[in-house]
Amino acid sequence: MKKISILFLLLFVSTTFAQQKTFTNPILPSGADPYSTYYKGYYYYTNTLQNRLVLWKTKDLSDLKNAESKVIWQAPKGTDYSADIWAPEFHIINGKWYCYFAADNGDNNTHRMYVLENKSSEPFRGSFEFKGKIAAKTDKWAIDGNIFEHKKQLYMIWAGWEGDTNGQQNIYIAKMKNPLEIEGDRVMISAPTNDWETHGALHDDINPAQVNVNEGPQFLSRNGKVFIVFSASGCWTDFYALGLLTFNGDDNLLDASAWKKAPEPIFKQSDKNKVYAPGHNSFFKSPDGKEDWILYHANSNPGEGCGNKRSPRMQKINWDANGFPVLGEPVNEETRLALPSKKRIEKRKERIENRE
């Protein structure tokens, strides 16, 4: 009897320990446009909440439900940036924190990009000060800004309209003078032209009958290769998917002719795994820096559209022999995934804590 009890206890401890090393998607019940920044041992996570900016702090992105969180900024009423706050991103640049987000005055036609600055190196300390609109010389409709540095030059990529009316969203790029200002004008590097990018029929009295979409661009690089992963087709359709742009030029990222689009999506819905409209992603490294992971939102059922049923999910990505990202297929909600790999010192600390 005693041996059976000990065996049961060992089995329980072993199962509990194994569960701590794995997770399942989604990582929150709701949260569109997920983004995270890894800094000094912590992931700083955020997603779209429409009227405010909230930041989560955690060592384990899969355990966001238990993470510390803080309201960073509440949208003031009666301004050009009071409503429809979409796709926030928090970045640490030269020791300061910046938050970039899209917002409007309640009318989608007025959507523009805005930025906050916090001079503290710890985003939960200090305060985020509203610094205003951030726009190219051609100040047009803009959402989904992503900031990155390439060869000591800051860039911004985003989704925008060519003119002043809805109907098509393109991907644009521009250099930045500093984290608060764009230098010069924008350059279009992608437009929705393939069949898989043009699922965008709408059936309402507000919008056009059809909107073709490229949006949510995200910078990705490895071993000297430069990519932009973007979302294509309307998020209101199950065909929302991820496309890939590859830079084939020298140093000028503003050379539109140097960007080549993959002919097919690299990440799309899976009926088999019951994952629909996967998109608006970001990327992050494992704590030990050895693994690349994708963070994205998706629906669990067909026809759920762009509402609050979109939930954040994450999974490891791979690379092929030619150095291109392989995102694979979005995993189902029953699949247990290993946590991102940690540094040895962190693993050793875990083992000591488990012994105690």
Side-chain angles (χ1 to χ4, degrees):
M1 186 72 177
K2 188 174 181 181
K3 287 183 179 179
I4 293 174
S5 297
I6 293 172
L7 183 63
F8 177 80
L9 179 62
L10 287 172
L11 181 63
F12 175 78
V13 170
S14 176
T15 302
T16 302
F17 186 72
Q19 288 175 342
Q20 291 174 342
K21 296 292 185 181
T22 62
F23 72 95
T24 58
N25 282 317
I27 53 178
L28 280 179
S30 179
D33 314 328
Y35 187 86
S36 71
T37 300
Y38 187 73
Y39 183 68
K40 291 189 175 180
Y42 289 92
Y43 289 102
Y44 293 93
Y45 168 93
T46 191
N47 58 233
T48 291
L49 289 165
Q50 296 290 342
N51 66 348
R52 66 195 185 280
L53 299 171
V54 175
L55 192 60
W56 283 259
K57 179 181 181 180
T58 181
K59 288 193 172 185
D60 180 2
L61 261 183
S62 71
D63 192 33
L64 282 173
K65 63 182 181 296
N66 295 313
E68 179 184 3
S69 65
K70 180 180 180 180
V71 177
I72 297 298
W73 185 77
Q74 189 82 36
K77 295 180 180 180
T79 69
D80 289 338
Y81 41 89
S82 295
D84 298 324
I85 297 172
W86 296 348
E89 294 190 2
F90 286 83
H91 294 262
I92 179 79
I93 304 172
N94 297 329
K96 298 178 183 179
W97 281 90
Y98 297 87
C99 179
Y100 300 89
F101 61 95
D104 64 28
N105 62 7
D107 178 356
N108 178 47
N109 292 303
T110 67
H111 251 118
R112 297 293 189 275
M113 295 297 306
Y114 297 90
V115 59
L116 308 174
E117 179 186 60
N118 185 349
K119 294 180 179 179
S120 172
S121 61
E122 164 55 64
F124 275 35
R125 297 176 185 170
S127 61
F128 278 85
E129 179 183 349
F130 181 77
K131 304 301 286 188
K133 182 169 66 175
I134 181 165
K137 185 178 180 181
T138 304
D139 182 10
K140 301 295 183 180
W141 187 91
I143 64 169
D144 299 348
N146 176 240
I147 310 298
F148 66 92
E149 183 177 318
H150 177 67
K151 296 188 177 180
K152 299 183 179 180
Q153 171 65 53
L154 270 181
Y155 293 87
M156 186 176 191
I157 47 178
W158 70 94
W161 297 346
E162 181 179 0
D164 296 313
T165 56
N166 196 2
Q168 180 167 300
Q169 295 174 207
N170 306 316
I171 302 298
Y172 293 92
I173 187 171
K175 285 184 178 181
M176 300 184 73
K177 289 182 184 178
N178 54 60
L180 302 175
E181 295 178 276
I182 286 177
E183 179 182 313
D185 212 348
R186 62 183 186 169
V187 173
M188 187 182 77
I189 55 174
S190 181
T193 55
N194 295 307
D195 289 344
W196 55 272
E197 300 176 279
T198 55
H199 295 277
L202 287 161
H203 306 283
D204 59 50
D205 298 327
I206 301 173
N207 296 294
Q210 172 82 19
V211 177
N212 297 328
V213 176
N214 278 180
E215 64 181 15
Q218 288 290 313
F219 175 76
L220 179 65
S221 67
R222 184 175 184 264
N223 296 337
K225 287 186 176 292
V226 173
F227 309 97
I228 289 176
V229 175
F230 64 96
S231 301
S233 283
C235 65
W236 53 92
T237 75
D238 292 335
F239 296 98
Y240 200 55
L242 296 180
L244 179 70
L245 297 175
T246 302
F247 183 70
N248 293 319
D250 295 323
D251 292 331
N252 183 16
L253 297 189
L254 272 59
D255 178 6
S257 65
W259 290 97
K260 181 180 179 182
K261 184 185 297 184
E264 298 294 335
I266 60 169
F267 200 64
K268 61 183 181 179
Q269 66 172 314
S270 171
D271 287 312
K272 178 185 68 176
N273 291 336
K274 296 182 180 179
V275 180
Y276 301 91
H280 201 112
N281 78 291
S282 57
F283 295 101
F284 67 91
K285 289 277 190 183
S286 59
D288 65 3
K290 294 181 179 179
E291 297 174 349
D292 291 292
W293 286 67
I294 184 174
L295 185 60
Y296 65 99
H297 72 229
N299 290 320
S300 300
N301 299 288
E304 291 183 334
C306 299
N308 59 12
K309 291 187 178 180
R310 293 177 294 177
S311 55
R313 301 148 191 253
M314 59 189 243
Q315 60 190 71
K316 183 182 173 183
I317 71 171
N318 295 301
W319 300 86
D320 68 17
N322 295 316
F324 286 82
V326 178
L327 274 55
E329 192 174 17
V331 299
N332 64 41
E333 296 179 17
E334 287 74 44
T335 300
R336 298 208 69 87
L337 300 172
L339 292 173
S341 57
K342 296 182 179 181
K343 298 175 182 177
R344 287 186 178 181
I345 189 169
E346 291 182 3
K347 291 179 180 178
R348 191 179 303 121
K349 184 180 179 183
E350 274 189 1
R351 288 196 295 268
I352 293 171
E353 288 173 348
N354 286 321
R355 288 171 186 168
E356 293 174 348

PDB file of all heavy atoms in Angstrom, residues 208-237:
ATOM      1  N   PRO A 208     -17.296  50.148 -48.520  1.00  0.00           N
ATOM      2  CA  PRO A 208     -17.415  49.731 -49.923  1.00  0.00           C
ATOM      3  C   PRO A 208     -17.828  48.268 -50.015  1.00  0.00           C
ATOM      4  O   PRO A 208     -17.692  47.509 -49.054  1.00  0.00           O
ATOM      5  CB  PRO A 208     -15.998  49.940 -50.465  1.00  0.00           C
ATOM      6  CG  PRO A 208     -15.343  50.881 -49.528  1.00  0.00           C
ATOM      7  CD  PRO A 208     -15.943  50.610 -48.188  1.00  0.00           C
ATOM      8  N   ALA A 209     -18.307  47.868 -51.184  1.00  0.00           N
ATOM      9  CA  ALA A 209     -18.732  46.478 -51.369  1.00  0.00           C
ATOM     10  C   ALA A 209     -17.564  45.505 -51.255  1.00  0.00           C
ATOM     11  O   ALA A 209     -17.730  44.352 -50.860  1.00  0.00           O
ATOM     12  CB  ALA A 209     -19.422  46.326 -52.717  1.00  0.00           C
ATOM     13  N   GLN A 210     -16.359  45.983 -51.608  1.00  0.00           N
ATOM     14  CA  GLN A 210     -15.164  45.135 -51.583  1.00  0.00           C
ATOM     15  C   GLN A 210     -13.975  45.946 -51.087  1.00  0.00           C
ATOM     16  O   GLN A 210     -13.748  47.068 -51.543  1.00  0.00           O
ATOM     17  CB  GLN A 210     -14.859  44.599 -52.983  1.00  0.00           C
ATOM     18  CG  GLN A 210     -13.541  43.870 -53.137  1.00  0.00           C
ATOM     19  CD  GLN A 210     -13.598  42.420 -52.690  1.00  0.00           C
ATOM     20  OE1 GLN A 210     -14.676  41.836 -52.593  1.00  0.00           O
ATOM     21  NE2 GLN A 210     -12.457  41.836 -52.398  1.00  0.00           N
ATOM     22  N   VAL A 211     -13.219  45.393 -50.138  1.00  0.00           N
ATOM     23  CA  VAL A 211     -11.978  46.015 -49.675  1.00  0.00           C
ATOM     24  C   VAL A 211     -10.871  44.960 -49.750  1.00  0.00           C
ATOM     25  O   VAL A 211     -10.973  43.900 -49.120  1.00  0.00           O
ATOM     26  CB  VAL A 211     -12.089  46.552 -48.229  1.00  0.00           C
ATOM     27  CG1 VAL A 211     -10.744  47.112 -47.771  1.00  0.00           C
ATOM     28  CG2 VAL A 211     -13.161  47.632 -48.134  1.00  0.00           C
ATOM     29  N   ASN A 212      -9.837  45.244 -50.524  1.00  0.00           N
ATOM     30  CA  ASN A 212      -8.685  44.350 -50.624  1.00  0.00           C
ATOM     31  C   ASN A 212      -7.639  44.776 -49.613  1.00  0.00           C
ATOM     32  O   ASN A 212      -7.343  45.966 -49.491  1.00  0.00           O
ATOM     33  CB  ASN A 212      -8.117  44.384 -52.039  1.00  0.00           C
ATOM     34  CG  ASN A 212      -9.122  43.879 -53.066  1.00  0.00           C
ATOM     35  OD1 ASN A 212      -9.943  43.008 -52.769  1.00  0.00           O
ATOM     36  ND2 ASN A 212      -9.063  44.429 -54.263  1.00  0.00           N
ATOM     37  N   VAL A 213      -7.081  43.809 -48.911  1.00  0.00           N
ATOM     38  CA  VAL A 213      -6.288  44.140 -47.721  1.00  0.00           C
ATOM     39  C   VAL A 213      -4.885  43.544 -47.714  1.00  0.00           C
ATOM     40  O   VAL A 213      -4.701  42.340 -47.916  1.00  0.00           O
ATOM     41  CB  VAL A 213      -7.020  43.682 -46.436  1.00  0.00           C
ATOM     42  CG1 VAL A 213      -6.152  43.923 -45.202  1.00  0.00           C
ATOM     43  CG2 VAL A 213      -8.354  44.397 -46.291  1.00  0.00           C
ATOM     44  N   ASN A 214      -3.889  44.394 -47.480  1.00  0.00           N
ATOM     45  CA  ASN A 214      -2.576  44.052 -46.934  1.00  0.00           C
ATOM     46  C   ASN A 214      -2.436  44.887 -45.668  1.00  0.00           C
ATOM     47  O   ASN A 214      -2.619  46.110 -45.710  1.00  0.00           O
ATOM     48  CB  ASN A 214      -1.439  44.415 -47.898  1.00  0.00           C
ATOM     49  CG  ASN A 214      -1.190  43.381 -48.985  1.00  0.00           C
ATOM     50  OD1 ASN A 214      -0.310  43.551 -49.813  1.00  0.00           O
ATOM     51  ND2 ASN A 214      -1.970  42.308 -49.017  1.00  0.00           N
ATOM     52  N   GLU A 215      -2.122  44.275 -44.533  1.00  0.00           N
ATOM     53  CA  GLU A 215      -2.014  45.026 -43.281  1.00  0.00           C
ATOM     54  C   GLU A 215      -1.111  44.276 -42.303  1.00  0.00           C
ATOM     55  O   GLU A 215      -0.545  43.234 -42.612  1.00  0.00           O
ATOM     56  CB  GLU A 215      -3.401  45.258 -42.667  1.00  0.00           C
ATOM     57  CG  GLU A 215      -4.132  43.993 -42.239  1.00  0.00           C
ATOM     58  CD  GLU A 215      -5.505  44.262 -41.657  1.00  0.00           C
ATOM     59  OE1 GLU A 215      -6.024  45.382 -41.837  1.00  0.00           O
ATOM     60  OE2 GLU A 215      -6.071  43.347 -41.022  1.00  0.00           O
ATOM     61  N   GLY A 216      -0.971  44.854 -41.112  1.00  0.00           N
ATOM     62  CA  GLY A 216      -0.212  44.207 -40.043  1.00  0.00           C
ATOM     63  C   GLY A 216       1.198  43.797 -40.394  1.00  0.00           C
ATOM     64  O   GLY A 216       1.634  42.692 -40.028  1.00  0.00           O
ATOM     65  N   PRO A 217       2.009  44.628 -41.084  1.00  0.00           N
ATOM     66  CA  PRO A 217       3.359  44.204 -41.462  1.00  0.00           C
ATOM     67  C   PRO A 217       4.275  44.039 -40.251  1.00  0.00           C
ATOM     68  O   PRO A 217       4.206  44.824 -39.299  1.00  0.00           O
ATOM     69  CB  PRO A 217       3.840  45.348 -42.363  1.00  0.00           C
ATOM     70  CG  PRO A 217       3.103  46.548 -41.855  1.00  0.00           C
ATOM     71  CD  PRO A 217       1.751  46.035 -41.460  1.00  0.00           C
ATOM     72  N   GLN A 218       5.123  43.026 -40.297  1.00  0.00           N
ATOM     73  CA  GLN A 218       6.078  42.769 -39.218  1.00  0.00           C
ATOM     74  C   GLN A 218       7.444  42.434 -39.805  1.00  0.00           C
ATOM     75  O   GLN A 218       7.567  41.566 -40.670  1.00  0.00           O
ATOM     76  CB  GLN A 218       5.599  41.604 -38.346  1.00  0.00           C
ATOM     77  CG  GLN A 218       4.414  41.927 -37.475  1.00  0.00           C
ATOM     78  CD  GLN A 218       4.744  42.877 -36.344  1.00  0.00           C
ATOM     79  OE1 GLN A 218       5.746  42.702 -35.640  1.00  0.00           O
ATOM     80  NE2 GLN A 218       3.906  43.891 -36.139  1.00  0.00           N
ATOM     81  N   PHE A 219       8.464  43.123 -39.307  1.00  0.00           N
ATOM     82  CA  PHE A 219       9.849  42.911 -39.736  1.00  0.00           C
ATOM     83  C   PHE A 219      10.379  41.611 -39.144  1.00  0.00           C
ATOM     84  O   PHE A 219      10.110  41.270 -37.989  1.00  0.00           O
ATOM     85  CB  PHE A 219      10.701  44.091 -39.262  1.00  0.00           C
ATOM     86  CG  PHE A 219      12.170  43.953 -39.540  1.00  0.00           C
ATOM     87  CD1 PHE A 219      12.676  44.154 -40.812  1.00  0.00           C
ATOM     88  CD2 PHE A 219      13.055  43.645 -38.512  1.00  0.00           C
ATOM     89  CE1 PHE A 219      14.041  44.039 -41.066  1.00  0.00           C
ATOM     90  CE2 PHE A 219      14.417  43.528 -38.747  1.00  0.00           C
ATOM     91  CZ  PHE A 219      14.905  43.729 -40.035  1.00  0.00           C
ATOM     92  N   LEU A 220      11.157  40.884 -39.935  1.00  0.00           N
ATOM     93  CA  LEU A 220      11.780  39.643 -39.492  1.00  0.00           C
ATOM     94  C   LEU A 220      13.106  39.492 -40.225  1.00  0.00           C
ATOM     95  O   LEU A 220      13.169  39.687 -41.442  1.00  0.00           O
ATOM     96  CB  LEU A 220      10.864  38.449 -39.805  1.00  0.00           C
ATOM     97  CG  LEU A 220      11.371  37.053 -39.428  1.00  0.00           C
ATOM     98  CD1 LEU A 220      11.517  36.903 -37.918  1.00  0.00           C
ATOM     99  CD2 LEU A 220      10.424  35.974 -39.970  1.00  0.00           C
ATOM    100  N   SER A 221      14.167  39.185 -39.510  1.00  0.00           N
ATOM    101  CA  SER A 221      15.464  39.000 -40.160  1.00  0.00           C
ATOM    102  C   SER A 221      16.234  37.860 -39.508  1.00  0.00           C
ATOM    103  O   SER A 221      16.056  37.561 -38.322  1.00  0.00           O
ATOM    104  CB  SER A 221      16.297  40.284 -40.101  1.00  0.00           C
ATOM    105  OG  SER A 221      16.664  40.577 -38.758  1.00  0.00           O
ATOM    106  N   ARG A 222      17.108  37.243 -40.312  1.00  0.00           N
ATOM    107  CA  ARG A 222      17.944  36.157 -39.801  1.00  0.00           C
ATOM    108  C   ARG A 222      19.092  35.916 -40.773  1.00  0.00           C
ATOM    109  O   ARG A 222      18.878  35.800 -41.976  1.00  0.00           O
ATOM    110  CB  ARG A 222      17.128  34.875 -39.618  1.00  0.00           C
ATOM    111  CG  ARG A 222      17.887  33.705 -38.985  1.00  0.00           C
ATOM    112  CD  ARG A 222      16.923  32.553 -38.741  1.00  0.00           C
ATOM    113  NE  ARG A 222      17.554  31.435 -38.058  1.00  0.00           N
ATOM    114  CZ  ARG A 222      18.066  30.364 -38.679  1.00  0.00           C
ATOM    115  NH1 ARG A 222      18.020  30.293 -40.007  1.00  0.00           N
ATOM    116  NH2 ARG A 222      18.603  29.376 -37.984  1.00  0.00           N
ATOM    117  N   ASN A 223      20.295  35.874 -40.214  1.00  0.00           N
ATOM    118  CA  ASN A 223      21.495  35.591 -41.015  1.00  0.00           C
ATOM    119  C   ASN A 223      21.609  36.466 -42.255  1.00  0.00           C
ATOM    120  O   ASN A 223      21.943  35.997 -43.351  1.00  0.00           O
ATOM    121  CB  ASN A 223      21.521  34.117 -41.410  1.00  0.00           C
ATOM    122  CG  ASN A 223      21.644  33.182 -40.221  1.00  0.00           C
ATOM    123  OD1 ASN A 223      22.130  33.574 -39.152  1.00  0.00           O
ATOM    124  ND2 ASN A 223      21.188  31.952 -40.377  1.00  0.00           N
ATOM    125  N   GLY A 224      21.300  37.746 -42.083  1.00  0.00           N
ATOM    126  CA  GLY A 224      21.451  38.691 -43.182  1.00  0.00           C
ATOM    127  C   GLY A 224      20.268  38.802 -44.112  1.00  0.00           C
ATOM    128  O   GLY A 224      20.204  39.724 -44.935  1.00  0.00           O
ATOM    129  N   LYS A 225      19.313  37.882 -44.030  1.00  0.00           N
ATOM    130  CA  LYS A 225      18.108  37.959 -44.857  1.00  0.00           C
ATOM    131  C   LYS A 225      17.055  38.819 -44.169  1.00  0.00           C
ATOM    132  O   LYS A 225      16.886  38.744 -42.947  1.00  0.00           O
ATOM    133  CB  LYS A 225      17.543  36.564 -45.129  1.00  0.00           C
ATOM    134  CG  LYS A 225      18.357  35.742 -46.121  1.00  0.00           C
ATOM    135  CD  LYS A 225      17.646  34.442 -46.443  1.00  0.00           C
ATOM    136  CE  LYS A 225      18.408  33.652 -47.502  1.00  0.00           C
ATOM    137  NZ  LYS A 225      18.374  34.315 -48.815  1.00  0.00           N
ATOM    138  N   VAL A 226      16.349  39.625 -44.957  1.00  0.00           N
ATOM    139  CA  VAL A 226      15.346  40.540 -44.428  1.00  0.00           C
ATOM    140  C   VAL A 226      13.978  40.202 -45.015  1.00  0.00           C
ATOM    141  O   VAL A 226      13.828  40.045 -46.235  1.00  0.00           O
ATOM    142  CB  VAL A 226      15.712  42.001 -44.766  1.00  0.00           C
ATOM    143  CG1 VAL A 226      14.594  42.953 -44.361  1.00  0.00           C
ATOM    144  CG2 VAL A 226      17.012  42.392 -44.059  1.00  0.00           C
ATOM    145  N   PHE A 227      12.988  40.096 -44.119  1.00  0.00           N
ATOM    146  CA  PHE A 227      11.629  39.752 -44.534  1.00  0.00           C
ATOM    147  C   PHE A 227      10.625  40.712 -43.895  1.00  0.00           C
ATOM    148  O   PHE A 227      10.891  41.328 -42.861  1.00  0.00           O
ATOM    149  CB  PHE A 227      11.267  38.323 -44.097  1.00  0.00           C
ATOM    150  CG  PHE A 227      12.260  37.277 -44.489  1.00  0.00           C
ATOM    151  CD1 PHE A 227      13.232  36.846 -43.582  1.00  0.00           C
ATOM    152  CD2 PHE A 227      12.228  36.712 -45.754  1.00  0.00           C
ATOM    153  CE1 PHE A 227      14.147  35.862 -43.930  1.00  0.00           C
ATOM    154  CE2 PHE A 227      13.143  35.731 -46.115  1.00  0.00           C
ATOM    155  CZ  PHE A 227      14.097  35.304 -45.209  1.00  0.00           C
ATOM    156  N   ILE A 228       9.453  40.782 -44.495  1.00  0.00           N
ATOM    157  CA  ILE A 228       8.286  41.399 -43.868  1.00  0.00           C
ATOM    158  C   ILE A 228       7.144  40.407 -44.021  1.00  0.00           C
ATOM    159  O   ILE A 228       6.823  39.965 -45.132  1.00  0.00           O
ATOM    160  CB  ILE A 228       7.923  42.746 -44.505  1.00  0.00           C
ATOM    161  CG1 ILE A 228       8.976  43.798 -44.141  1.00  0.00           C
ATOM    162  CG2 ILE A 228       6.539  43.212 -44.011  1.00  0.00           C
ATOM    163  CD1 ILE A 228       8.755  45.146 -44.820  1.00  0.00           C
ATOM    164  N   VAL A 229       6.557  40.030 -42.908  1.00  0.00           N
ATOM    165  CA  VAL A 229       5.383  39.169 -42.909  1.00  0.00           C
ATOM    166  C   VAL A 229       4.172  40.072 -42.715  1.00  0.00           C
ATOM    167  O   VAL A 229       4.180  40.949 -41.851  1.00  0.00           O
ATOM    168  CB  VAL A 229       5.475  38.106 -41.800  1.00  0.00           C
ATOM    169  CG1 VAL A 229       4.195  37.280 -41.728  1.00  0.00           C
ATOM    170  CG2 VAL A 229       6.679  37.191 -42.043  1.00  0.00           C
ATOM    171  N   PHE A 230       3.129  39.873 -43.497  1.00  0.00           N
ATOM    172  CA  PHE A 230       1.965  40.751 -43.438  1.00  0.00           C
ATOM    173  C   PHE A 230       0.682  39.928 -43.499  1.00  0.00           C
ATOM    174  O   PHE A 230       0.683  38.757 -43.904  1.00  0.00           O
ATOM    175  CB  PHE A 230       2.004  41.756 -44.596  1.00  0.00           C
ATOM    176  CG  PHE A 230       1.912  41.121 -45.959  1.00  0.00           C
ATOM    177  CD1 PHE A 230       0.695  41.010 -46.626  1.00  0.00           C
ATOM    178  CD2 PHE A 230       3.043  40.600 -46.588  1.00  0.00           C
ATOM    179  CE1 PHE A 230       0.595  40.405 -47.868  1.00  0.00           C
ATOM    180  CE2 PHE A 230       2.964  39.992 -47.841  1.00  0.00           C
ATOM    181  CZ  PHE A 230       1.730  39.888 -48.485  1.00  0.00           C
ATOM    182  N   SER A 231      -0.419  40.550 -43.097  1.00  0.00           N
ATOM    183  CA  SER A 231      -1.722  39.899 -43.146  1.00  0.00           C
ATOM    184  C   SER A 231      -2.439  40.301 -44.430  1.00  0.00           C
ATOM    185  O   SER A 231      -2.333  41.449 -44.876  1.00  0.00           O
ATOM    186  CB  SER A 231      -2.563  40.294 -41.933  1.00  0.00           C
ATOM    187  OG  SER A 231      -1.913  39.928 -40.726  1.00  0.00           O
ATOM    188  N   ALA A 232      -3.179  39.362 -45.008  1.00  0.00           N
ATOM    189  CA  ALA A 232      -3.843  39.612 -46.288  1.00  0.00           C
ATOM    190  C   ALA A 232      -5.283  39.117 -46.260  1.00  0.00           C
ATOM    191  O   ALA A 232      -5.626  38.184 -45.522  1.00  0.00           O
ATOM    192  CB  ALA A 232      -3.082  38.924 -47.418  1.00  0.00           C
ATOM    193  N   SER A 233      -6.130  39.756 -47.064  1.00  0.00           N
ATOM    194  CA  SER A 233      -7.573  39.563 -47.126  1.00  0.00           C
ATOM    195  C   SER A 233      -8.222  40.169 -45.879  1.00  0.00           C
ATOM    196  O   SER A 233      -7.536  40.510 -44.903  1.00  0.00           O
ATOM    197  CB  SER A 233      -7.965  38.082 -47.293  1.00  0.00           C
ATOM    198  OG  SER A 233      -7.753  37.678 -48.640  1.00  0.00           O
ATOM    199  N   GLY A 234      -9.532  40.316 -45.921  1.00  0.00           N
ATOM    200  CA  GLY A 234     -10.230  40.967 -44.811  1.00  0.00           C
ATOM    201  C   GLY A 234     -10.258  40.107 -43.567  1.00  0.00           C
ATOM    202  O   GLY A 234     -10.501  38.895 -43.642  1.00  0.00           O
ATOM    203  N   CYS A 235     -10.040  40.720 -42.418  1.00  0.00           N
ATOM    204  CA  CYS A 235     -10.094  39.971 -41.158  1.00  0.00           C
ATOM    205  C   CYS A 235     -11.512  39.476 -40.885  1.00  0.00           C
ATOM    206  O   CYS A 235     -11.711  38.604 -40.040  1.00  0.00           O
ATOM    207  CB  CYS A 235      -9.593  40.830 -39.995  1.00  0.00           C
ATOM    208  SG  CYS A 235     -10.627  42.267 -39.622  1.00  0.00           S
ATOM    209  N   TRP A 236     -12.493  40.031 -41.598  1.00  0.00           N
ATOM    210  CA  TRP A 236     -13.881  39.602 -41.442  1.00  0.00           C
ATOM    211  C   TRP A 236     -14.165  38.308 -42.197  1.00  0.00           C
ATOM    212  O   TRP A 236     -15.267  37.772 -42.146  1.00  0.00           O
ATOM    213  CB  TRP A 236     -14.825  40.708 -41.900  1.00  0.00           C
ATOM    214  CG  TRP A 236     -14.556  41.231 -43.291  1.00  0.00           C
ATOM    215  CD1 TRP A 236     -15.114  40.803 -44.462  1.00  0.00           C
ATOM    216  CD2 TRP A 236     -13.648  42.272 -43.652  1.00  0.00           C
ATOM    217  NE1 TRP A 236     -14.620  41.509 -45.524  1.00  0.00           N
ATOM    218  CE2 TRP A 236     -13.719  42.425 -45.061  1.00  0.00           C
ATOM    219  CE3 TRP A 236     -12.792  43.112 -42.926  1.00  0.00           C
ATOM    220  CZ2 TRP A 236     -12.950  43.372 -45.758  1.00  0.00           C
ATOM    221  CZ3 TRP A 236     -12.029  44.049 -43.626  1.00  0.00           C
ATOM    222  CH2 TRP A 236     -12.110  44.172 -45.019  1.00  0.00           C
ATOM    223  N   THR A 237     -13.145  37.804 -42.904  1.00  0.00           N
ATOM    224  CA  THR A 237     -13.285  36.540 -43.628  1.00  0.00           C
ATOM    225  C   THR A 237     -12.404  35.472 -42.988  1.00  0.00           C
ATOM    226  O   THR A 237     -11.417  35.773 -42.315  1.00  0.00           O
ATOM    227  CB  THR A 237     -12.868  36.683 -45.108  1.00  0.00           C
ATOM    228  OG1 THR A 237     -11.434  36.743 -45.194  1.00  0.00           O
ATOM    229  CG2 THR A 237     -13.468  37.933 -45.734  1.00  0.00           C
TER     230      THR A 237
END
